[in-house]
Amino acid sequence: MKQMKWNELPHAGTVLKAGNANEYKTGSWRTYKPRWIEENCIQCLFCWIYCPDSAVTTKDEKMNGFDYDHCKGCGVCAMECPGKKGNKAIVMEEEGK
Amino acid sequence: MTTTEKPMTLKSLTHKNDNLSGGHRMCSGCGAPTIVRQVLLACDEPVVIANATGCLEVSTCLFPYTAWKVPWMHSAFENAAATASGIETMYRSLRKQGKLKKEMKFIAFGGDGGTYDIGFQALSGAMERGHQLLYICYDNGAYMNTGIQRSSATPFGADTTTQPVGSAVQGKTQRRKDLTRIMAAHNVAYAAQASPHNWKDLMTKVKKALATNGPAYMGVVAPCNRGWRTQTNDSIVLSRLAVDTCYWPLYEVEAGKWTINYDPKERKKPIVEWLKPQGRFKHLFAPGNEGMLEKFQKLVDDDWESLHKMASAFGAK
């Protein structure tokens, strides 16, 4: 994220670029990291609809991974993941291990 | 968009724009951004958002950055409803003058502090004047943003920093205010309670509320792991338990017609199942406080019974 100089700031408290918070990476907040195990995934998309950080990515109506730049590692996706035959498709693993 | 005709599925929703970007600074595992994402995904027309001061406002819009991809405005703590009223009135005027052709919708977001307490007067006024807007309160049951001070939405017995557990009192001594009913008593076009765990119910309610020709109010339970003293991964679990214990019943009031959207019947869980995982209710399980647990259960049961009475008296015939 590039720091703005005072004369580059938009006037009157307006923000003109929609969704530019995306440039700010919250991935460094994480202590635990979600890992996707594709063979256990039934594509229910619960992880996607429940993610508070819009950090579950989709392509062609299917979950296809995580946006680790913004995932804060809360673990809601892993908690709500029904998995297949009792095996979760998302597991939380400690960062840096 | 043709999503209103087809049955709403998560697969079909993935084609829509996610209008809240990542990179906002809401706490890890917060319930509120999940609610906002679901609400924005339910909108088919362009929307304009007014936001009361609160966690959601300060954490999604840190100048000069915003997580919102839709027009959004914040002015003060007490006036999200008044701000939205003004925007909606300007829109109607521009339409009348022929300067604007587009169909647009208006939503105001507020936390329970900005809705139940500080913004209550503005909200009541906006509902009474009949603006065509939807006010959504994400209710986490205290002033979480400023450090967990009690609000009139704080449940009975909860430990807050302004009514802490000590030798004289054991948390909040009063029960919470039932704002959804107060809004229904304004004879608004639509008033409802929803929970993020039931995304389909929440999104259907948003669609209904935006389609009504008048003011609408929605109260949504928003678990807060900081204030509720819980884990970061259980916001959806706790919102589900709030509904299954009937602490937060899912119901709607459509032009005076009361409907209970989800009745757990014999699967209704005892309130302790919702209280136990939350650190703010820890003291209720200490010896000597059994009476408080009984009182909490009675409050929930009485409200649930009274809701059933409303639904049978003023429900669909």
Side-chain angles (χ1 to χ4, degrees):
Chain A
M1 192 175 78
K2 187 183 146 281
Q3 286 281 316
M4 286 187 208
K5 294 198 179 83
W6 68 271
N7 55 359
E8 292 169 342
L9 291 173
H11 289 190
T14 53
V15 183
L16 302 173
K17 260 173 90 182
N20 61 353
N22 209 44
E23 294 168 28
Y24 188 88
K25 314 290 186 223
T26 48
S28 62
W29 293 20
R30 227 172 22 240
T31 346
Y32 289 89
K33 181 179 187 164
R35 183 164 64 85
W36 182 43
I37 306 164
E38 197 174 350
E39 59 266 30
N40 294 338
C41 181
I42 57 164
Q43 291 297 341
C44 63
L45 293 167
F46 288 165
C47 51
W48 172 75
I49 196 73
Y50 293 137
C51 177
D53 295 297
S54 319
V56 175
T57 56
T58 58
K59 192 173 183 267
D60 300 329
E61 304 190 341
K62 284 191 161 91
M63 186 273 182
N64 70 345
F66 298 100
D67 167 6
Y68 289 115
D69 280 347
H70 297 104
C71 167
K72 293 168 189 159
C74 65
V76 166
C77 53
M79 185 65 125
E80 292 305 314
C81 177
K84 198 187 269 175
K85 294 178 188 154
N87 297 314
K88 291 256 183 195
I90 301 174
V91 289
M92 300 303 288
E93 290 172 347
E94 206 174 328
E95 281 282 355
K97 281 232 163 137
Chain B
M1 291 281 170
T2 53
T3 43
T4 37
E5 293 100 55
K6 277 190 258 166
M8 194 166 34
T9 62
L10 289 177
K11 277 189 180 7
S12 65
L13 287 167
T14 58
H15 293 288
K16 297 188 78 173
N17 289 332
D18 209 335
N19 279 329
L20 187 77
S21 83
H24 60 71
R25 270 75 121 201
M26 299 295 275
C27 299
S28 175
C30 173
T34 304
I35 295 166
V36 172
R37 285 186 59 228
Q38 293 180 4
V39 168
L40 294 178
L41 279 168
C43 299
D44 292 323
E45 280 99 10
V47 282
V48 180
I49 310 286
N51 208 161
T53 305
C55 295
L56 183 65
E57 173 265 323
V58 296
S59 309
T60 55
C61 198
L62 281 85
F63 184 75
Y65 293 93
T66 180
W68 299 79
K69 296 182 193 170
V70 291
W72 179 93
M73 181 175 179
H74 163 256
S75 52
F77 210 146
E78 67 279 14
N79 61 8
T83 306
S85 305
I87 300 170
E88 189 261 352
T89 308
M90 180 190 68
Y91 162 77
R92 273 189 290 120
S93 169
L94 291 174
R95 287 269 286 204
K96 216 159 147 187
Q97 297 170 49
K99 290 180 180 167
L100 198 67
K101 298 272 183 288
K102 243 188 224 169
E103 180 80 22
M104 287 170 86
K105 300 292 179 191
F106 303 89
I107 300 178
F109 277 108
D112 53 286
T115 306
Y116 284 64
D117 301 344
I118 300 176
F120 184 64
Q121 183 190 5
L123 172 62
S124 180
M127 296 289 133
E128 185 269 332
R129 289 189 301 271
H131 293 281
Q132 209 174 330
L133 63 88
L134 165 61
Y135 192 104
I136 299 177
C137 171
Y138 68 97
D139 185 343
N140 49 29
Y143 290 84
M144 300 308 185
N145 177 42
T146 47
I148 323 169
Q149 290 85 6
R150 88 186 270 290
S151 78
S152 58
T154 305
F156 168 75
D159 181 28
T160 54
T161 51
T162 44
Q163 219 168 4
V165 175
S167 50
V169 285
Q170 296 286 305
K172 192 176 172 184
T173 48
Q174 304 85 355
R175 57 155 300 161
R176 62 180 281 273
K177 183 158 96 183
D178 194 340
L179 192 65
T180 312
R181 286 216 186 181
I182 297 170
M183 286 298 117
H186 281 64
N187 293 315
V188 290
Y190 189 79
Q193 268 188 191
S195 158
H197 85 274
N198 195 337
W199 57 271
K200 204 167 206 168
D201 174 77
L202 188 148
M203 290 171 73
T204 309
K205 283 172 175 166
V206 171
K207 281 179 189 292
K208 270 190 185 179
L210 292 176
T212 53
N213 193 23
Y217 172 84
M218 272 176 70
V220 187
V221 64
C224 164
N225 54 59
R226 293 291 301 117
W228 292 17
R229 306 285 181 215
T230 57
Q231 304 301 314
T232 59
N233 62 359
D234 53 13
S235 67
I236 300 300
V237 173
L238 286 170
S239 60
R240 189 179 290 118
L241 275 173
V243 173
D244 287 343
T245 56
C246 296
Y247 169 78
W248 195 266
L250 303 182
Y251 69 97
E252 60 188 352
V253 186
E254 259 174 300
K257 199 186 91 190
W258 291 62
T259 316
I260 297 174
N261 304 106
Y262 174 70
D263 187 344
K265 297 205 170 113
E266 67 280 0
R267 288 196 305 274
K268 177 173 178 283
K269 292 181 173 161
I271 193 66
V272 288
E273 288 197 27
W274 183 68
L275 302 177
K276 194 92 205 196
Q278 301 183 49
R280 63 174 174 163
F281 295 116
K282 194 174 63 188
H283 55 285
L284 298 187
F285 296 91
N289 281 344
E290 294 82 5
M292 289 185 78
L293 280 178
E294 278 164 34
K295 188 178 169 187
F296 204 126
Q297 183 67 61
K298 192 173 175 338
L299 286 171
V300 172
D301 292 345
D302 287 354
D303 283 355
W304 181 235
E305 197 192 319
S306 140
L307 185 64
H308 266 282
K309 280 183 186 157
M310 292 304 277
S312 55
F314 305 108
K317 289 284 172 320

